[in-house]
């Protein structure tokens, strides 16, 4: 009832635009083609048609989030050696997340139940998965409260933001750098987790971790540069396009202020989670902006939540208490926005949540759905 009474998040023009929205087709990398032929197609052939693709998406998100919860329970400092079973569990969670995330779209096409809600829900889960993966990798590399932990969260979230900023301007979306994309990155993390589970976390000393994280940051930086070059090449309104970086630049700047807080020195995982929630909400808004062709608002109030604990911490108030208040406010803001958007999308799209009515499809349609990842 509360959601229905909220202000409109999408204008009438945006709702008309979203009706004609089509998800951009993304070519598979070599490894993705191999996984598609050897694994994903075999799995999708065994899944009953009545299972909703949204259920697969939700399952993948819950599995990945469970690994985040376990890490937060065992190590908020991101600098301790964990029990070996946790590394194995995180590796399995990322693998299952990757697999289910790759076949949910296939299930939707095979069952003839593509929907705007399904696209939005899948992208929301992907947006928050960035923070889950950052926490897992920072713990794996024992980065602790170093600046690199915050830098990793920021650059990964900015790269995610840019993929939909690009889609809004060009109707295409870059998800890979050559033949390297998210799938390849996740497989490397899985391999590192399995290695650590077998031989222990002592391998990741400061020198090795620094080399690895700088390699990741460099790769993401090149990826960001390629997107910027592609979008701005023939863009006659470069300044207008670049102005959309204002809200995410504010989040990045305020995030690094936490580097000087006592809370970040003690529990960096909590700070990264709070920053991740801010990026998640903004990236969700960018996703909707891309789907509706509406311009993202330059002023966002939520990023300034990150400034409050820093100021209050300097005034000797309890940082932990303020932290939980701010995180709670962020969670409520995320819930209200996403709930409001779903309510708006429901006006122009039939929402099928966790079950579907099977629909007959031809052999050609079935094969086409299997051979496409997204």
């Amino acid at each position: 009832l509360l959601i229905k009474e909220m202000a409109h998040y999408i204008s009438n023009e945006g709702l008309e635009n979203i009706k004609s929205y089509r998800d951009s087709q993304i070519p598979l990398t070599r490894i993705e083609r191999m996984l598609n032929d050897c694994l994903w197609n075999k799995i999708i052939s065994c899944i009953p048609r009545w299972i909703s693709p949204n259920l697969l998406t939700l399952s993948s998100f819950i599995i990945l989030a469970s690994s985040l919860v376990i890490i937060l329970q065992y190590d908020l400092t991101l600098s301790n050696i964990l029990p070996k079973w946790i590394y194995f569990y995180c590796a399995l969670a990322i693998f299952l997340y990757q697999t289910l995330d790759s076949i949910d779209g296939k299930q939707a096409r095979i069952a003839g139940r593509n929907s705007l809600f399904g696209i939005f829900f899948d992208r929301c889960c992907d947006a928050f998965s960035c923070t889950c993966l950052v926490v897992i990798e920072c713990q794996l590399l024992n980065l602790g409260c170093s600046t690199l932990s915050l830098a990793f969260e920021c650059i990964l979230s900015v790269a995610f933001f840019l993929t939909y900023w690009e889609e809004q301007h060009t109707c295409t979306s870059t998800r890979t750098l050559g033949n390297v994309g998210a799938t390849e990155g996740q497989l490397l993390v899985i391999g590192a987790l399995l290695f650590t589970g077998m031989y222990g976390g002592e391998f990741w000393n400061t020198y090795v971790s620094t080399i690895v994280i700088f390699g990741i940051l460099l790769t993401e930086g090149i990826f960001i540069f390629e997107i910027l070059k592609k979008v701005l090449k023939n863009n006659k309104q470069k300044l207008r396009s670049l102005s959309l970086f204002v809200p995410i630049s504010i989040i990045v700047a305020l995030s690094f202020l936490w580097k000087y807080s006592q809370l970040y020195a003690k529990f960096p995982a909590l700070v990264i989670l709070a920053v991740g929630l801010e990026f998640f909400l903004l990236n969700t808004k960018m996703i909707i902006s891309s789907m509706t062709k509406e311009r993202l608002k330059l002023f966002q109030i939520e990023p300034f939540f990150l400034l409050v604990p820093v100021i209050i911490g300097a005034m000797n108030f309890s940082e932990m208490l303020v932290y939980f208040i701010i995180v709670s406010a962020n969670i409520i803001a995320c819930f209200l926005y996403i709930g409001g958007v779903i309510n708006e999308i429901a006006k122009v799209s039939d929402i099928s949540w966790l079950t579907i009515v099977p629909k007959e499809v031809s052999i050609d349609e079935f094969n086409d759905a299997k051979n496409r990842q997204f």
Side-chain angles (χ1 to χ4, degrees):
L1 181 61
L2 175 63
I3 291 174
K4 290 183 178 180
E5 295 299 324
M6 289 188 301
H8 294 294
Y9 289 101
I10 305 176
S11 68
N12 291 332
E13 182 181 356
L15 289 175
E16 288 299 318
N17 291 337
I18 205 172
K19 288 181 183 178
S20 58
Y21 177 79
R22 295 295 180 270
D23 200 4
S24 56
Q25 300 303 310
I26 303 166
L28 301 179
T29 64
R30 292 176 183 175
I31 290 181
E32 285 173 339
R33 286 195 295 270
M34 182 181 67
L35 289 172
N36 190 57
D37 295 335
C38 300
L39 180 63
W40 297 337
N41 282 342
K42 289 180 172 56
I43 293 176
I44 199 66
S45 299
C46 300
I47 295 179
R49 299 285 80 85
W50 55 265
I51 293 181
S52 169
N54 298 324
L55 180 59
L56 299 178
T57 305
L58 179 63
S59 300
S60 70
F61 173 75
I62 291 175
I63 290 170
L64 184 62
S66 67
S67 62
L68 171 65
V69 172
I70 291 173
I71 288 179
L72 293 178
Q73 182 179 359
Y74 274 82
D75 181 25
L76 293 176
T77 67
L78 301 179
S79 59
N80 295 329
I81 305 298
L82 300 179
K84 291 184 177 181
W85 70 266
I86 296 181
Y87 297 113
F88 287 119
Y89 180 83
C90 289
L92 177 63
I94 295 175
F95 175 76
L96 292 176
Y97 162 77
Q98 178 191 86
T99 301
L100 293 173
D101 188 50
S102 298
I103 66 175
D104 55 3
K106 293 175 179 289
Q107 176 74 349
R109 287 185 289 273
I110 290 173
R113 296 297 297 182
N114 284 331
S115 69
L116 296 172
F117 170 73
I119 295 172
F120 174 67
F121 181 60
D122 180 71
R123 292 179 173 184
C124 284
C125 291
D126 288 342
F128 190 73
S129 72
C130 289
T131 297
C132 295
L133 292 170
V134 166
V135 172
I136 291 173
E137 293 177 53
C138 286
Q139 205 295 318
L140 172 67
L141 298 174
N142 297 325
L143 294 181
C145 59
S146 69
T147 305
L148 293 176
S149 298
L150 283 173
F152 190 15
E153 169 65 35
C154 290
I155 198 166
L156 197 63
S157 297
V158 169
F160 188 93
F161 177 90
L162 278 174
T163 58
Y164 295 102
W165 174 78
E166 176 193 11
E167 186 181 67
Q168 185 182 44
H169 289 82
T170 66
C171 297
T172 61
S173 181
T174 301
R175 307 283 176 88
T176 62
L177 187 61
N179 261 306
V180 177
T183 299
E184 288 73 17
Q186 290 163 7
L187 290 176
L188 287 175
V189 175
I190 291 171
L193 286 165
L194 293 175
F195 176 87
T196 307
M198 289 186 288
Y199 299 104
E202 294 81 5
F203 173 80
W204 302 106
N205 56 45
T206 304
Y207 180 73
V208 175
S209 297
T210 302
I211 292 177
V212 171
I213 199 65
F214 267 110
I216 295 173
L217 295 178
L218 177 62
T219 303
E220 292 292 341
I222 295 173
F223 176 76
I224 290 172
F225 174 76
E226 289 298 323
I227 292 180
L228 287 171
K229 184 172 68 173
K230 179 180 176 182
V231 173
L232 299 178
K233 184 177 181 180
N234 298 314
N235 193 327
K236 296 181 179 180
Q237 297 182 317
K238 292 181 174 61
L239 186 61
R240 177 178 171 82
S241 298
L242 290 173
S243 66
L244 293 179
F245 284 81
V246 170
I248 200 163
S249 298
I250 291 174
I251 296 180
V252 171
L254 294 180
S255 297
F256 280 100
L257 287 179
W258 280 87
K259 178 68 175 65
Y260 306 99
S261 70
Q262 293 181 3
L263 185 62
Y264 186 69
K266 294 178 181 177
F267 308 119
L270 292 180
V271 173
I272 290 176
L273 183 60
V275 172
L277 283 171
E278 292 291 350
F279 279 120
F280 166 69
L281 181 57
L282 181 62
N283 283 335
T284 301
K285 291 180 179 180
M286 189 66 239
I287 290 168
I288 286 299
S289 178
S290 172
M291 294 175 69
T292 60
K293 302 303 179 185
E294 291 189 315
R295 183 172 172 79
L296 181 71
K297 293 181 180 178
L298 297 186
F299 179 78
Q300 307 281 339
I301 188 62
E302 294 86 3
F304 291 96
F305 289 172
L306 293 174
L307 189 59
V308 176
V310 177
I311 296 175
I312 293 181
M315 298 170 63
N316 296 321
F317 283 92
S318 171
E319 278 187 325
M320 185 63 77
L321 175 61
V322 177
Y323 169 84
F324 281 112
I325 293 174
I326 296 305
V327 168
S328 298
N330 275 328
I331 292 174
I332 292 173
C334 291
F335 169 77
L336 292 178
Y337 179 78
I338 293 174
V341 167
I342 290 174
N343 184 56
E344 295 289 311
I345 293 177
K347 298 176 182 179
V348 295
S349 173
D350 293 330
I351 290 184
S352 176
W353 181 221
L354 299 180
T355 59
I356 61 176
V357 178
K359 177 183 175 181
E360 294 296 329
V361 295
S362 67
I363 296 297
D364 290 339
E365 290 174 324
F366 181 82
N367 290 332
D368 178 64
K370 284 175 61 179
N371 292 326
R372 291 164 54 191
Q373 180 185 4
F374 300 101

